[in-house]
Amino acid sequence: MFRFRALQQFHFVVAPRHHYWHTARTQLLSLHLNVAACGLRATDAFGETRYLDTISHASRVLEADPTNVKALFRRGQAHLLRPNHINGLALALEDLRRAAELEPGDTSVRSMLARARAQQKSLDQKDASMFG
């Protein structure tokens, strides 16, 4: 299940009841956020960008901290950029809207949200012309 050795080792080192757990949990969330960021840039053996890694790791952060703007942004970005992703645009809009609500001044979030809205508008116009 784990592809990254640091994350694998981290899960077995500190037990949840250990007095270092809060610090360890914070570092673990940072590791997941970093791997999520890498997934937006890394490619696999077939040259495909690893958007699923980004979605998976950002989702793990959001399980622990549902208001983490970085995780919402990275997961939204991955949903938006992943080709042929059913409901990807809707999922991206959901994550990016939530991130924009939590951090209204973040220009990166606003920019990506504008991009997602433009794609939605384009699809709506395409559908309108097809179905009259």
Side-chain angles (χ1 to χ4, degrees):
M1 172 153 190
F2 289 102
R3 293 185 184 155
F4 303 94
R5 192 180 243 19
L7 283 172
Q8 183 180 19
Q9 298 302 319
F10 211 95
H11 278 278
F12 294 110
V13 171
V14 181
R17 293 190 183 123
H18 195 276
H19 64 281
Y20 291 119
W21 176 245
H22 178 71
T23 303
R25 182 180 171 273
T26 303
Q27 291 175 346
L28 181 62
L29 294 180
S30 291
L31 281 171
H32 280 294
L33 282 171
N34 289 340
V35 174
C38 291
L40 291 169
R41 291 165 185 77
T43 56
D44 61 15
F46 302 105
E48 299 290 322
T49 305
R50 300 178 70 142
Y51 295 122
L52 289 176
D53 285 343
T54 297
I55 293 167
S56 172
H57 287 280
S59 294
R60 291 192 79 166
V61 172
L62 291 167
E63 286 172 11
D65 179 8
T67 61
N68 190 299
V69 175
K70 280 186 181 181
L72 286 165
F73 175 67
R74 289 180 182 154
R75 188 171 74 176
Q77 197 175 13
H79 281 306
L80 185 63
L81 298 174
R82 187 172 164 216
N84 304 318
H85 180 27
I86 296 174
N87 295 328
L89 183 55
L91 293 169
L93 282 166
E94 181 181 331
D95 283 344
L96 294 170
R97 282 184 188 132
R98 179 75 176 127
E101 287 172 12
L102 293 168
E103 196 68 46
D106 191 324
T107 57
S108 297
V109 171
R110 289 272 178 217
S111 173
M112 193 58 62
L113 181 57
R115 183 175 173 178
R117 285 180 175 156
Q119 281 188 16
Q120 182 65 54
K121 185 176 180 180
S122 174
L123 284 175
D124 290 346
Q125 289 172 346
K126 193 179 197 179
D127 289 347
S129 68
M130 275 178 90
F131 299 111

